[in-house]
Amino acid sequence: MALIQTRSGTTKTTAVVVGVVLAALTLGSYLLGIDHLLGFSRLAMAVILVIAFVKVYLVTQYFMDIRHAPTWLKVIVHGWTVLTAGIVIGLYIGL
């Protein structure tokens, strides 16, 4: 098993920044969900779904280390995320 050597300070800082961004996105989607800050609940739900898939992207990039993965794996993961987001949001908006 090989260990990847990185600059530990940069890695820790990135993890903290991404964690704070994820917390802020969670708080934002919560506020949209309970108060419908956009005024139209269907639009608010669509924005919440977009936020959810942005969070999926951030988690796969920074906590599942897809950014260091081979290109073929990045294509599969990002393709799945975009395809799933398109289907879920499309079905929600279309119905």
Side-chain angles (χ1 to χ4, degrees):
M1 180 173 171
L3 295 175
I4 298 174
Q5 294 180 350
T6 60
R7 292 178 285 174
S8 61
T10 305
T11 304
K12 289 178 185 175
T13 303
T14 303
V16 169
V17 169
V18 172
V20 168
V21 169
L22 287 169
L25 289 172
T26 301
L27 179 63
S29 61
Y30 172 75
L31 291 174
L32 280 173
I34 61 167
D35 289 339
H36 302 297
L37 295 177
L38 295 177
F40 183 59
S41 63
R42 195 166 188 90
L43 179 60
M45 187 60 202
V47 172
I48 290 169
L49 287 171
V50 170
I51 290 172
F53 283 103
V54 168
K55 289 169 57 176
V56 167
Y57 173 79
L58 289 173
V59 168
T60 57
Q61 280 292 104
Y62 295 100
F63 296 110
M64 296 176 70
D65 283 334
I66 293 298
R67 70 183 186 279
H68 299 298
T71 304
W72 63 269
L73 186 57
K74 289 179 189 178
V75 169
I76 290 171
V77 170
H78 296 317
W80 172 85
T81 303
V82 169
L83 180 66
T84 305
I87 290 171
V88 169
I89 295 168
L91 286 173
Y92 182 77
I93 291 173
L95 296 177

